[in-house]
Amino acid sequence: MALNISHAHDLIEQCHQKNTVERSPVELYDPCNYIMKQGGKRLRSIFCLMGYELYSQDIEKACDLAYAVELFHNFTLVHDDIMDAATLRRGVPTVHHQYDTNKAILSGDVMIIEVFDRLLKIDSPKRHEMIGLMTTTAREVCEGQSMDMTFEEKSDVTIPSYLKMIELKTAVLLGAALRLGAMHAGACEQDQEHLYKFASNAGISFQLQDDYLDVYGDPKTFGKRVGGDIIQGKKTYLYLRALELLNEK
């Protein structure tokens, strides 16, 4: 039975409504609620539910895990937007523009703490493995972001090194999301590895499409400033491929 994507999306939205943070100080938690309520594709959390549904039909039991994945993704967006000096995310001001940079940094920090707090509370014999996978993924995402920033200052970036960067920055979280759901439902190790590779490859394709949309996308549907990567000096696939094809003149 294929996962009903619309139903999965609704479950994630319901989980968000249930988990809106109302703790003090509001200056710390309001920015977290701000980015989480914006919606978005919820792709990573849906991948998590999809992985679970492959082995168990009761996907509601995976909602807390999926929401932890969604929290992690949005944490990365808060900090990435600061580093990229981005002004728009999902068609609205980025967190550091809506509030300020210091508040955005600290709110992102508390979001990642909340992710691991939620993972610790998941009722699963695989909880330790889940936390290990998320820890590895978090480290790899940071490595990918570091490479992305370093590439802005380099003139000798190759396409293979770029593909490695987007694997770390984008693809590993999609791979982890699908694998986490399957792991929670009791999938065998071999299936987990295959699902991880599938979702990771999908993540690389997703980022390549995002590169294209940065140049040719409609800002009304893209939700970000068109040409932002060019302005930032990003070494995207389109940029590197153009350098390969153009003569010196």
Side-chain angles (χ1 to χ4, degrees):
M1 178 180 175
L3 179 70
N4 184 316
I5 300 298
S6 178
H7 176 55
H9 198 280
D10 288 345
L11 286 175
I12 295 300
E13 293 305 320
Q14 291 167 19
C15 197
H16 165 66
Q17 295 300 324
K18 184 177 70 174
N19 289 284
T20 298
V21 181
E22 297 179 350
R23 294 197 293 271
S24 295
V26 294
E27 293 81 6
L28 175 64
Y29 294 106
D30 275 359
C32 306
N33 293 327
Y34 173 77
I35 191 168
M36 291 303 294
K37 76 178 183 181
Q38 291 169 11
K41 295 177 287 294
R42 307 296 198 200
L43 186 62
R44 290 143 190 90
S45 49
I46 288 175
F47 263 44
C48 185
L49 294 180
M50 188 182 297
Y52 187 89
E53 196 270 344
L54 286 169
Y55 300 91
S56 178
Q57 298 300 309
D58 189 9
I59 63 171
E60 286 81 2
K61 292 182 178 178
C63 283
D64 287 343
L65 176 60
Y67 193 70
V69 171
E70 191 66 27
L71 271 172
F72 179 86
H73 173 57
N74 281 271
F75 141 73
T76 67
L77 299 183
V78 172
H79 283 189
D80 285 0
D81 286 341
I82 295 169
M83 288 181 271
D84 292 345
T87 58
L88 285 178
R89 168 74 62 181
R90 298 165 180 159
V92 298
T94 50
V95 174
H96 67 284
H97 268 256
Q98 182 70 16
Y99 298 91
D100 63 50
T101 299
N102 288 339
K103 288 178 182 176
I105 292 171
L106 197 56
S107 295
D109 291 344
V110 82
M111 288 173 76
I112 187 64
I113 293 167
E114 181 71 14
V115 168
F116 285 97
D117 186 50
R118 287 174 174 274
L119 290 174
L120 283 168
K121 294 174 181 175
I122 289 175
D123 182 17
S124 170
K126 296 291 186 178
R127 182 172 58 242
H128 182 79
E129 288 89 337
M130 290 177 188
I131 294 172
L133 175 56
M134 184 57 79
T135 302
T136 298
T137 302
R139 183 182 298 111
E140 290 174 334
V141 169
C142 291
E143 291 170 356
Q145 178 68 7
S146 177
M147 292 172 68
D148 191 22
M149 294 170 62
T150 301
F151 286 176
E152 292 176 21
E153 303 167 0
K154 297 179 67 175
S155 58
D156 58 347
V157 179
T158 64
I159 287 179
S161 62
Y162 172 75
L163 292 174
K164 180 62 179 178
M165 182 273 289
I166 64 173
E167 177 188 350
L168 292 170
K169 183 178 176 180
T170 301
V172 294
L173 181 54
L174 282 164
L178 193 63
R179 182 169 189 165
L180 281 166
M183 185 185 298
H184 192 21
C188 69
E189 185 71 22
Q190 185 179 45
D191 283 4
Q192 291 179 37
E193 291 175 2
H194 289 164
L195 289 168
Y196 181 93
K197 189 63 177 178
F198 164 79
S200 180
N201 284 333
I204 292 171
S205 300
F206 177 86
Q207 185 59 54
L208 292 174
Q209 178 71 6
D210 196 67
D211 288 355
Y212 174 86
L213 290 172
D214 180 77
V215 180
Y216 298 108
D218 181 348
K220 293 179 181 178
T221 54
F222 186 42
K224 292 187 280 188
R225 183 182 185 183
V226 172
D229 287 345
I230 296 172
I231 295 167
Q232 188 70 17
K234 297 285 187 184
K235 302 302 190 294
T236 66
Y237 184 87
L238 271 69
Y239 177 90
L240 295 173
R241 185 64 175 145
L243 290 181
E244 278 193 351
L245 295 173
L246 294 173
N247 59 35
E248 188 170 342
K249 180 180 178 180

